[in-house]
Amino acid sequence: MGTVKDNLETINKKIKAAAWKVNRDPQEIKLVAVTKTATSEQIKEAINEGVKIIGENKVQEAKGKYQVLTTEVKWHLIGHLQTNKVKYAVEIFDLIHSVDSIKLAKEIDKRSVQFKKTIDVLIEVNISGEETKYGYNPEKVEAFLKEISEFSGIKVRGLMTIAPISKNKEEVRPYFRRLRELSERIRDKNIKNIKMDYLSMGMTDDFEIAIEEGANIVRIGRGIFGF
Ligand SMILES: *Cc1c(COP(=O)(O)O)cnc(C)c1O
């Protein structure tokens, strides 16, 4: 693993190449730098090298970093959110990728309204159906969206998924494709207040395939920070 600077250069090149391969504009793809166990020095280096969005799995960890990193960056919550942490999550994050239950959606809505804000969220979809994964069954997403479309504290902006771990990269392609197709079907339904601007899919091992299949947010940790 090289320095954060070198790693970012490599990742950005690969993002561009993957986008060009399918005639997409690389500019439309947002890179979320997933910090997990990265040190604050590494995170600062990433920001110096142009990272605009920090991805956090845990609210508690984000709170610490949020106070240290005063630079203008966006904060995305990508990990599972417990209802008792929503209050802080709504304060800190610009986008929550991991809305996976009505109970959670209600709590986020309630807290956002208290803060007089509307928070952007993605719906996490368990596209592979693995029991160990969080996220909605794809068949149930539409009904869920109709249920929450009236919530004034929440703005649904798209879908997120985590592909199964696989040695063969090509095996994940159908999952990404299915998420894109689901988002297109939902968009065609024109559900009030529901937008499908974002498809958050692709991590260090599979982001190029995700981009080929339409991802416009990729979440990359190891590839940048080397943990
Ligand atoms: C850790 C994590 C990532 C980044 O994974 P890498 O393999 O380190 O790139 C992306 N999304 C979620 C939800 C994660 O937990």
Side-chain angles (χ1 to χ4, degrees):
M1 266 293 169
T3 62
V4 168
K5 179 175 190 278
D6 293 342
N7 295 343
L8 268 170
E9 260 172 40
T10 307
I11 296 284
N12 282 321
K13 268 189 206 147
K14 287 181 175 173
I15 289 174
K16 275 193 191 133
W20 283 330
K21 190 172 165 193
V22 290
N23 290 315
R24 294 183 57 196
D25 178 359
Q27 304 271 26
E28 72 187 37
I29 296 154
K30 292 182 196 288
L31 170 63
V32 176
V34 176
T35 61
K36 290 204 173 124
T37 56
T39 64
S40 53
E41 285 315 307
Q42 285 182 304
I43 301 170
K44 279 180 195 160
E45 188 180 350
I47 295 169
N48 279 340
E49 295 303 324
V51 159
K52 302 270 186 288
I53 308 170
I54 301 291
E56 289 292 331
N57 284 79
K58 299 200 175 104
V59 176
Q60 205 58 32
E61 285 174 12
K63 275 169 76 182
K65 292 173 197 159
Y66 193 73
Q67 276 148 11
V68 181
L69 299 169
T70 47
T71 334
E72 224 2 68
V73 282
K74 300 276 186 203
W75 293 79
H76 286 195
L77 182 67
I78 60 171
H80 179 66
L81 177 57
Q82 291 168 313
T83 45
N84 63 353
K85 301 272 166 55
V86 167
K87 188 167 161 248
Y88 298 107
V90 165
E91 259 182 281
I92 295 175
F93 293 103
D94 301 289
L95 181 68
I96 297 175
H97 290 226
S98 46
V99 172
D100 59 3
S101 72
I102 185 73
K103 184 172 161 232
L104 178 60
K106 277 185 179 153
E107 185 67 18
I108 296 173
D109 179 55
K110 186 178 114 190
R111 296 293 181 183
S112 300
V113 169
Q114 278 173 4
F115 280 105
K116 296 192 167 48
K117 65 192 262 186
T118 304
I119 189 153
D120 284 345
V121 304
L122 307 179
I123 307 306
E124 183 168 353
V125 182
N126 184 354
I127 208 87
S128 61
E130 289 166 287
E131 274 177 26
T132 51
K133 283 206 158 74
Y134 290 109
Y136 262 88
N137 174 331
E139 315 250 299
K140 295 188 176 151
V141 173
E142 192 187 328
F144 172 61
L145 289 173
K146 284 182 176 153
E147 206 174 337
I148 66 171
S149 69
E150 302 286 339
F151 289 14
S152 63
I154 285 187
K155 180 84 194 162
V156 176
R157 303 292 305 271
L159 306 178
M160 179 271 228
T161 201
I162 303 171
I165 295 165
S166 171
K167 284 211 180 72
N168 176 358
K169 277 195 189 184
E170 278 302 320
E171 278 174 17
V172 299
R173 189 183 293 279
Y175 299 106
F176 292 144
R177 186 168 294 168
R178 267 186 247 158
L179 191 73
R180 190 215 334 136
E181 288 168 353
L182 177 64
S183 87
E184 286 166 355
R185 278 201 300 282
I186 291 167
R187 187 181 292 138
D188 289 345
K189 301 268 156 96
N190 285 315
I191 306 169
K192 193 182 145 208
N193 205 28
I194 302 292
K195 292 258 184 299
M196 286 289 127
D197 310 323
Y198 294 130
L199 263 185
S200 167
M201 53 188 199
M203 314 185 353
T204 298
D205 287 333
D206 54 22
F207 71 93
E208 291 153 287
I209 292 176
I211 289 170
E212 287 173 31
E213 294 300 330
N216 57 9
I217 302 182
V218 292
R219 310 176 306 264
I220 300 181
R222 269 179 305 133
I224 298 172
F225 299 110
F227 44 73

